[in-house]
Amino acid sequence: MEEVLSQFGLSPGTYTHHRFGSGHINNTFLVTSNFSDEKFILQKINTYVFKDPEIISENIEKASDFLKINHPDYTFIHSIKTVDDKPYALIDGAYWRLSPFIKSSQTVNIASNLLQAYEAASAFGRLTKNLHGLPLKGLRESIPGFHNLELRFMQFQEALQNGNKERIAAEQELTSFYLGQEHWVQYYNDILKDEKYPKRLVHHDTKINNVLLNKDTGKALAVCDLDTLMPGIVISDLGDMIRTYTSVESEESVDFENVKVRLDYIKALFEGFLSQTGPLLTDSEKKSLFFAGPFLIYMQGLRFLTDYFNDDVYYPVKYTEHNLNRARNQAVLLEDYLKKENEIKRLIEEALR
Ligand code: GN1
Ligand code: MG
């Protein structure tokens, strides 16, 4: 750690670090000065997931340059350069990134009131709005095919072929449910074929704890966790908010009775997101807003179940059925979302007005 910090010009012995946040993928630390109120966020990039971490830095830098020119007042969490002017420190094959800690900020793990949902959704909407017009040429995906639903479905089929036989045999009902929702893949492929459906630079991980809220006013200050900031489609961000803000019970919960879409949260998050992005969305994008829910909930459920059948190689688990329960949880959430289709479509129409 001393070596990592010194590569960023922080004198060893002057700073204390401890683990921070609750992400599945990277290791995150809060680095605090022992002598002032200076703080940083330090992340060790998971190179099993991000095979080419330089792509992350490229994307963040392109976004940062564009925003500095076009939206100079926007708070964007750039990476701090090393003393050798690199966007990351590379030590024994491990990539480390440092960024400033935003003053007076805090994060929450679940959206527990409508203001939080609205604020977080406007924060991600503002990012999309401010990045509108950024040329995507030369930008690459930090995880190839990350939100490609067809690919995720194929990976699921592959796991059914080659995965843990006992686990697969015991979960036929859940497997049938996931196979039975395959039509969403076609829906996704149609979007890719639609020339009026733009690619944008989007965040791809819009969980509420990736929004920094002002700890006194609750207003959103900035968004963080920019590893998956890469070309994609607008419903990736919207869908992950639907998936993670609208149920009282999180994806970790086994209290399936209470895994439910709360319509007032749907309303708040659509209003927040569209308050920023509404004027720039194309008609094709607007037509796809309801699909944002199934797109992300279904994809995440497939990813959890795939990982369960593959003996938990991707998501860290705390007990044997952990990924299985996550996949069950997402199936319940998806069913509830679909049950409320008419009400949700009405709320979307209203928020678009
Ligand atoms: C992972 O690491 P974290 O918690 O930010 C995953 C997301 C999933 C999420 C599910 C790179 O995000 O796609 O939605 O877990 N990120 C990656 O909790 O796979
Ligand atoms: Mg993340």
Side-chain angles (χ1 to χ4, degrees):
M1 190 56 89
E2 303 280 87
E3 195 185 339
V4 177
L5 292 179
S6 64
Q7 284 214 15
F8 286 105
L10 306 181
S11 325
T14 322
Y15 294 88
T16 313
H17 67 273
H18 61 83
R19 277 193 182 272
F20 191 71
S22 56
H24 286 314
I25 305 297
N26 297 318
N27 284 321
T28 307
F29 302 87
L30 179 68
V31 177
T32 319
S33 162
N34 298 337
F35 303 106
S36 69
D37 58 5
E38 198 181 27
K39 286 181 189 165
F40 302 95
I41 295 291
L42 180 69
Q43 273 197 318
K44 183 180 180 202
I45 305 299
N46 177 331
T47 45
Y48 174 77
V49 171
F50 296 98
K51 307 276 186 230
D52 185 352
E54 303 201 10
I55 298 177
I56 300 175
S57 313
E58 271 171 32
N59 289 345
I60 296 177
E61 258 179 80
K62 283 254 173 63
S64 180
D65 293 347
F66 180 86
L67 292 166
K68 262 185 222 144
I69 296 167
N70 295 286
H71 302 280
D73 297 330
Y74 177 67
T75 307
F76 182 72
I77 305 187
H78 58 274
S79 303
I80 295 169
K81 296 258 171 82
T82 64
V83 286
D84 304 330
D85 207 30
K86 292 245 165 55
Y88 49 80
L90 182 57
I91 294 161
D92 299 332
Y95 287 78
W96 297 82
R97 268 194 311 116
L98 188 76
S99 53
F101 179 84
I102 304 291
K103 278 208 182 79
S104 305
S105 71
Q106 68 169 18
T107 56
V108 294
N109 284 326
I110 40 166
S112 46
N113 61 57
L114 296 173
L115 177 69
Q116 284 175 352
Y118 182 90
E119 277 301 312
S122 355
F124 286 113
R126 202 169 301 123
L127 177 71
T128 297
K129 178 176 83 179
N130 288 348
L131 291 173
H132 181 66
L134 181 150
L136 297 182
K137 202 163 174 275
L139 291 176
R140 296 181 287 162
E141 293 181 306
S142 50
I143 302 175
F146 185 48
H147 278 190
N148 181 327
L149 188 57
E150 187 176 34
L151 175 73
R152 297 305 186 182
F153 187 77
M154 276 159 45
Q155 290 171 337
F156 178 59
Q157 287 176 310
E158 222 171 271
L160 285 173
Q161 289 296 317
N162 306 320
N164 180 319
K165 300 234 163 356
E166 277 163 40
R167 286 186 176 192
I168 293 164
E171 296 311 326
Q172 287 178 15
E173 200 183 317
L174 191 62
T175 299
S176 306
F177 173 81
Y178 276 103
L179 290 174
Q181 296 289 324
E182 189 190 346
H183 53 277
W184 300 118
V185 176
Q186 190 52 49
Y187 212 106
Y188 169 75
N189 285 340
D190 288 345
I191 285 182
L192 293 191
K193 278 187 238 134
D194 180 352
E195 280 161 15
K196 300 208 178 77
Y197 205 107
K199 288 268 162 33
R200 304 176 177 279
L201 196 60
V202 297
H203 186 282
H204 286 104
D205 190 8
T206 54
K207 284 193 243 191
I208 198 136
N209 57 19
N210 284 336
V211 183
L212 306 179
L213 301 168
N214 180 306
K215 65 175 185 307
D216 305 314
T217 63
K219 291 261 178 202
L221 295 169
V223 301
C224 64
D225 193 9
L226 302 171
D227 305 335
T228 51
L229 182 72
M230 59 178 158
I233 52 181
V234 74
I235 52 170
S236 273
D237 282 6
L238 196 57
D240 221 20
M241 292 193 271
I242 296 171
R243 190 180 79 74
T244 56
Y245 305 179
T246 65
S247 172
V248 210
E249 294 295 320
S250 80
E251 69 186 18
E252 293 294 308
S253 173
V254 290
D255 178 5
F256 300 131
E257 290 272 291
N258 287 313
V259 174
K260 282 204 177 84
V261 172
R262 293 173 291 183
L263 292 173
D264 48 350
Y265 278 73
I266 290 271
K267 180 172 178 329
L269 86 78
F270 270 100
E271 283 177 356
F273 193 72
L274 293 173
S275 70
Q276 303 298 316
T277 57
L280 50 99
L281 297 186
T282 65
D283 286 343
S284 292
E285 287 178 307
K286 285 181 186 161
K287 276 189 212 128
S288 74
L289 296 179
F290 174 78
F291 169 62
F295 175 41
L296 258 286
I297 303 169
Y298 181 48
M299 177 158 53
Q300 191 60 56
L302 282 174
R303 290 176 67 193
F304 285 142
L305 194 55
T306 301
D307 200 35
Y308 179 67
F309 290 160
N310 286 340
D311 288 326
D312 312 311
V313 288
Y314 191 90
Y315 292 107
V317 289
K318 297 206 172 92
Y319 59 94
T320 315
E321 298 83 22
H322 202 157
N323 270 321
L324 173 63
N325 281 335
R326 288 164 170 158
R328 287 180 174 141
N329 172 306
Q330 299 293 286
V332 175
L333 187 64
L334 178 56
E335 277 186 312
D336 194 56
Y337 185 88
L338 297 176
K339 217 190 293 164
K340 292 174 179 157
E341 173 168 356
N342 292 338
E343 290 106 304
I344 295 172
K345 285 189 168 161
R346 189 174 46 76
L347 291 175
I348 295 174
E349 281 305 313
E350 278 170 22
L352 276 171
R353 260 183 238 136

